[in-house]
Amino acid sequence: ANQPRDSSPHLMVHFALFSLGLAPLYLPTLLQPSQEALLHRSIQTWGISTLRQQIHARHVAKVAFYADESAVEVLDSNGLQRRVAIFPGVAPILLQDLRSEKLPFFVVPERPQAPSVVLAFARGFVSMLVVILVINALGMLDQFVWGCMIAGSVLNAVSEQVASACGAAGAAAGARVAEGRKRHGEAVAGLYRALGALSAGGAAPVPP
């Protein structure tokens, strides 16, 4: 008979060990649940009333409130963490209980949601379509297209002029830099010649 197969590597190892005849030795390990699963099963689910009782019994070490006041994360005195669902009206009552027992608490800051590029593009595209439909309904689509073509040609001409001006400015700056380097080289060469004449015992050049 065909047996169901699982693609996970963990179960593939189990099947391989069974096929090798190691089932009697490996069966207890296979049937034993994981420690993490047992830990989650052992954690008792708390309600709002149970949470208040545990706060006053000093079995709570720390409480974190979500900014939307939909739930709190509770760390008990045994180091176990659990989430308790609440509603906004309960938050002030829990705060009063925590303050009366002098237990630490804080608010989990909300993560800022970055705007989606795809969503922004879709909104802009839809807005553009709505504008085009309105212009078409007013019978001005031909004038709008013609105006866009004129505006595009003007922007193209302006961009070409700006690029030409930037190129000319860059060329002028390059020429000035080259001229400055040339003058610097000539000055350094003259200085070396004057120093060479002085070291050879010649008279120093008299400035005019």
Side-chain angles (χ1 to χ4, degrees):
N2 295 329
Q3 295 182 356
R5 296 181 179 179
D6 195 305
S7 59
S8 64
H10 189 60
L11 291 181
M12 293 296 291
V13 173
H14 296 332
F15 290 145
L17 290 174
F18 271 103
S19 62
L20 292 176
L22 300 178
L25 299 177
Y26 197 67
L27 186 59
T29 305
L30 178 63
L31 297 179
Q32 183 179 2
S34 64
Q35 295 182 356
E36 185 178 358
L38 291 176
L39 181 61
H40 284 292
R41 292 177 184 176
S42 63
I43 297 178
Q44 180 185 4
T45 303
W46 287 1
I48 297 176
S49 59
T50 304
L51 174 59
R52 296 190 64 189
Q53 293 174 1
Q54 296 296 329
I55 290 174
H56 291 294
R58 310 280 306 177
H59 293 163
V60 174
K62 188 182 298 184
V63 177
F65 289 83
Y66 284 95
D68 57 356
E69 299 182 1
S70 61
V72 293
E73 294 287 343
V74 181
L75 182 67
D76 62 13
S77 56
N78 296 323
L80 298 179
Q81 181 176 341
R82 53 172 57 81
R83 177 176 297 186
V84 179
I86 64 172
F87 51 91
V90 178
I93 301 176
L94 294 178
L95 289 175
Q96 184 177 0
D97 294 339
L98 292 170
R99 286 168 179 164
S100 64
E101 299 297 336
K102 297 181 180 180
L103 294 176
F105 61 90
F106 60 95
V107 179
V108 179
E110 293 183 354
R111 295 181 179 179
Q113 298 181 354
S116 175
V117 178
V118 177
L119 182 60
F121 176 78
R123 289 178 178 175
F125 185 73
V126 171
S127 300
M128 183 186 67
L129 288 180
V130 171
V131 172
I132 292 176
L133 289 175
V134 172
I135 294 174
N136 187 28
L138 296 175
M140 301 173 60
L141 185 59
D142 295 339
Q143 293 83 349
F144 176 75
V145 173
W146 181 250
C148 290
M149 293 176 62
I150 295 176
S153 62
V154 171
L155 290 177
N156 188 22
V158 171
S159 63
E160 290 180 355
Q161 292 178 1
V162 171
S164 177
C166 291
R176 291 182 179 180
V177 170
E179 184 179 358
R181 288 180 178 178
K182 182 179 178 181
R183 292 179 179 178
H184 175 72
E186 293 176 353
V188 171
L191 179 60
Y192 277 125
R193 286 195 298 268
L195 293 176
L198 289 175
S199 63
V206 180

